[in-house]
Amino acid sequence: VTPKITILPDNTSVSVRRGTLVREALERAGIAIIYPCGGKGRCGQCRIRFAEAAPKPGSSEQMLLSRSELKNGYRLACRAKIERAATISVPQEVRQAPEGRILSSLGKQVDVKPLVRKIFLILQPATIQRQHSDYDLIHSALRSRGIPITDWTTTALQALPSALRRKDHSITVTLAGTTCIAAEAGDTSKHLVGCAVDIGTTTVAAQILDLNTGKERATVALLNPQSKHGADVISRIQWVRENPLHLRVLQEEIVACINRCIEILCKRARVEPGEIFHLVAAGNATMTHLFLGVTPEFIGVSPYVSAIREGHQFKTTELGIRLHPEAIGYTLPNIGGFVGGDTVADMLVAAIAESDALRCVIDIGTNGEVVIGNGQRLLATSAAAGPAFEGAQISHGMQAGPGAIDGWACDSRLRFTTVGDRPAAGICGSGLVDIVAELLRAKGADASGRLQVPKRAGPSVGIRCLARRIEGSSRGVRLLVASKAEGAKRNIYFTQNDVRQLQLAKGAIATAIELLLMEYGAAAADIQALYLAGAFGNYIRKNHAQRIGLIPQLPLDRIHLIGDAALEGAKLVLLNTEYRDAAERIARQTEFIELAGRADFQDAFAANMSFPSQ
Amino acid sequence: VTPKITILPDNTSVSVRRGTLVREALERAGIAIIYPCGGKGRCGQCRIRFAEAAPKPGSSEQMLLSRSELKNGYRLACRAKIERAATISVPQEVRQAPEGRILSSLGKQVDVKPLVRKIFLILQPATIQRQHSDYDLIHSALRSRGIPITDWTTTALQALPSALRRKDHSITVTLAGTTCIAAEAGDTSKHLVGCAVDIGTTTVAAQILDLNTGKERATVALLNPQSKHGADVISRIQWVRENPLHLRVLQEEIVACINRCIEILCKRARVEPGEIFHLVAAGNATMTHLFLGVTPEFIGVSPYVSAIREGHQFKTTELGIRLHPEAIGYTLPNIGGFVGGDTVADMLVAAIAESDALRCVIDIGTNGEVVIGNGQRLLATSAAAGPAFEGAQISHGMQAGPGAIDGWACDSRLRFTTVGDRPAAGICGSGLVDIVAELLRAKGADASGRLQVPKRAGPSVGIRCLARRIEGSSRGVRLLVASKAEGAKRNIYFTQNDVRQLQLAKGAIATAIELLLMEYGAAAADIQALYLAGAFGNYIRKNHAQRIGLIPQLPLDRIHLIGDAALEGAKLVLLNTEYRDAAERIARQTEFIELAGRADFQDAFAANMSFPSQ
């Protein structure tokens, strides 16, 4: 009396009473199927197949399934009843996809649970006996699925009556949290895309992702057009102070840049901007203020305060961003005026607030930010590192674009690599680190940073190779990094002044690490994991970063290069609201340590300007 | 050691320890004073006066008070300390006004607690030691006053940094619920105005009110420009069905009309539109849909459902209403497609949901709505009464404008009154009721509504006076209501057909009352209070309304005329959010009873067409 049911391809079995619905049997076996009409035999989507001896089809099955489907044993799981032992195939497409998951760059599993989601519903029309408003039909259907809803936007309401009736009461509603922001006829639930943006001072990187699966659809990076008004945040703040209208100009430029990113991304991923319902942006405090149209001028003068630290949610149309008209934007919270949402994003990727052990996060971009801590305590500061690691203020420096030397060695012979394997045009951050590391190894520079022709002490080929490249000119000592004969577009040099620039930059970072450790009461060796973020973070050689004294001497397996973690952090927030909550928590809890105010700052900075003795 | 303090003009006393702050002494005595700077001796606003022997002024008092003020015994309550027995005057202007209250038209006290409020703050600027963001300064000041705040609009954020600094960190923030929607430099807290609107099918009435005191500042009524597309909701729905663009036309017309009302109100009350932060509108379901730009077309066809029943909150700029750019709008919820937010507003005024006894609310406008019930159960229906009581479809009918006959009697002699005492131009609702009541009294019309020359049964002068005015013409029997010789612009008649129109209208209302009572299981005599709302509700004679059978035979003191209760209900919601909650509750709980679907409807309607036997 309790026939056994075998389910394929799972090959699981369950015994049920005769007369049990297939739906119940599957639920008993833990197989979840989608019932768009709520299991009322109206939509015909819950098709399963009896291997043999299918039960007699009911009237709705006869209507919704073709003759050949019926012949082949197809039935509706919500209608067909178990009469005897049977083997039932449950096709993949009718199953509920296991909740989407993605892997973070550090290999952590992340559930896809975005703020914005679409829900497809097939509803029973109202009748004269059940005069439910359109709104009530949606609400009660969502309530029965345990989905709370509290508000509608006006445009969603305006769309509702015709969206409901255009495809026979099958409708897709889009929820942002508990607010309904769109209503579309039929099933559009697959068309749900989000956009993550890293608003860098120099570069804006953006990515669009499928908000159902979490899959990346396209990525793009463009120069931040604000750069023409100043390379760093201080000069842009200065420009805003000159004339209040400049705030509007900078906002329009960044919005135009993001719109251009979206255009390119949509083309590449074959997505309509109207399918993008959510945008999450991470940037430093100044970039975030400018994006929101809030003046950053008071970040730039004592007591250096931002207008807002918290994350901000808004309608993207308010700022002129061209996505779905009701799309929701969110900017990550800042820790302080000089430690922004990009650092918070890095911290999410490094999972520093979930760690028991001491961790360190370093983001080297146009500015430098350093965080140390763990789940108990978090300290952050900014280091006035300047943009040397982005190739700025270096004679033959350049960004990590095509032709940039991103790797360089000179032992038995000269070897170097360029971005895109193009003829060398200049040197970018990781190349600079390599060059200084090589100079130090071969004593082409001493601990104070003075360039010199190494003494030929012994038969070291490596040293001789490098020594030949150092030359004295009228403008001082310099290293020939690559010559035209060696495949460069022109002779590329690395000068005494360039060393100084790098000393200032790496000294600032190292000082920040040292002082934060002191504040925390820990030693460098206590750092269990160190994360290096930033545009050049992906290419740098860890041992070279240590040799020049940029980062502490730790076992190399504790050092992790996490690249553009600001973009990845924005993506985590976009895909899962728990990361948004975590970002707000981190921003509130992290203590900002003002280094310039400390008595020991100058001493430490002076000491850190030197290179470690090799 | 505990000197006694006497406070004037209250003449209350309190004994306190020597050295107690005046502030504490006043608090002990239950006298509340405003401390804009939080009692830090920074703003100098908490001035009180010692009658004699004032304590020595402190440094902040010397700075903030003039020499003559100091001489006259003025001190700051937050600084001065009690050294000996004293008499202290506390001027009215430094006291906290008792929370504003207004009286409803039925004499109920209503607290002024609107959704939108302004809060004036004097803040301590951030320092390098306390690097609070602007946002944090506001939040912690509000938190210390127990005011929760969760969000900021983008424009409020954009305004924040300069608003904070323009007047030395004194700032007024505007909150809508827990969202900050504006930030203004200095103290603008007095400039806070709201707008209540009754969107009638024929007439739009609007009022602006001070949201601090609840006081009415100005009222206006304009014709609804949508009328040109149809006099009633059904014809406007029909027009929308003809062409989807017509929805846009009707929305633009009602928005333009409300904007025009606001212009007039602002001029009359000397208020800037930018000071209006909140608008509450009550209208029937169709008017509400059209205002929101949501199609009402499905209200007009079976199964007669609205898109939304719930109240809707929105930004008024979304709809093109010209108030403060961040002003919040709210439309009252509907009970059903034909019982709308205007009826819910009436119910708020009549306090029907708070009553234990059975109450009845009747709103007679372009349509008629009837509600009966109490706190336990509420039933509502609409009666297809047509606009006869607004003077439409009556030969010489007119709205209650200048020259409309609004009172009419003919006993020993003819007497009538007109709106504005202007020469009679036509008859409005209350005049029509009087005319029919007089005809019935004098047997100029029988119970079936047939006009006839009364039999001169006896020497009744009143009957003779009326009998002389009834004449047979080629177009049937008619009553001369007023002649040119009697001061009318033209001869005004009331015809047999006019009687029929009124019979239809009053029959529909009376039937609705009868069937709702039947559904509820009560008799007319059980009604403890009956509220008559609507444009003509203020002028009608209760006994005449009973004589023609419009309302049941109840003791006259149970009948209350509440006039434009839809506007007053909107005002209650505007002034106190508890009324908004109550409106949502009422709309959810009230059962809509569809009369047309009932088997007994036609019989009851036919019976109610007749007039009561006199």
Side-chain angles (χ1 to χ4, degrees), chain A residues 15 55 69 115 172 197 199 213 236 296 314 324 346 354 367 395 486 501 518 522 556 575 595 610:
Chain A
S15 290
E69 282 171 326
L115 176 73
T172 302
V197 186
I199 309 178
T213 63
R236 282 180 222 171
F314 52 91
H324 187 280
D346 295 341
E354 300 156 41
N367 205 21
S395 336
E486 289 158 339
Q501 291 297 332
M518 196 182 295
L556 290 182
L575 291 182
L595 294 189
S610 300

Side-chain angles (χ1 to χ4, degrees), chain A residues 135 154 158 292 307 310 312, chain B residues 135-136 154 158 292 307 310 312:
Chain A
Y135 183 102
T154 303
Q158 290 170 342
L292 294 175
E310 281 69 11
H312 183 58
Chain B
Y135 182 102
D136 286 340
T154 303
Q158 290 170 343
L292 294 175
E310 281 68 13
H312 183 58

Side-chain angles (χ1 to χ4, degrees), chain A residues 114-164:
Chain A
L115 176 73
V116 178
R117 54 186 174 154
K118 281 189 167 187
I119 295 153
F120 172 53
L121 301 165
I122 297 183
L123 301 168
Q124 292 279 10
T127 62
I128 198 88
Q129 285 75 35
R130 289 169 58 255
Q131 277 177 322
H132 293 309
S133 69
D134 299 351
Y135 183 102
D136 287 339
L137 285 183
I138 306 275
H139 277 239
S140 60
L142 290 175
R143 205 176 313 121
S144 73
R145 294 196 185 189
I147 300 170
I149 167 168
T150 56
D151 294 295
W152 284 66
T153 62
T154 303
T155 56
L157 262 190
Q158 290 170 342
L160 174 58
S162 54
L164 189 61

Side-chain angles (χ1 to χ4, degrees), chain A residues 5 64 76 130 135 168 174 364 377 471 515 519 580:
Chain A
I5 306 303
L64 293 161
L76 299 182
R130 289 169 58 255
Y135 183 102
D168 195 22
T174 307
I364 300 175
R377 190 178 179 205
E471 52 181 65
L515 295 182
E519 184 74 29
R580 172 168 161 172

Side-chain angles (χ1 to χ4, degrees), chain B residues 1-8 10-29 31 48-53 55 80-90:
Chain B
V1 262
T2 56
K4 185 173 147 190
I5 307 302
T6 303
I7 297 152
L8 296 180
D10 311 70
N11 209 23
T12 49
S13 299
V14 64
S15 292
V16 294
R17 260 173 212 282
R18 199 169 283 166
T20 303
L21 280 175
V22 171
R23 174 183 182 158
E24 283 175 55
L26 293 177
E27 279 166 5
R28 206 83 61 79
I31 310 283
I48 50 85
R49 184 173 164 270
F50 282 81
E52 71 283 291
K81 287 178 180 163
I82 305 295
E83 297 302 345
R84 66 197 72 172
T87 298
I88 296 177
S89 298
V90 180

Side-chain angles (χ1 to χ4, degrees), chain B residues 309 353 375 377-379 584-592:
Chain B
R309 280 194 321 113
R377 190 179 178 204
L378 289 165
L379 306 178
E584 297 280 351
R585 241 182 351 256
I586 284 174
R588 265 195 310 275
Q589 289 171 0
T590 304
E591 302 162 46
F592 174 73

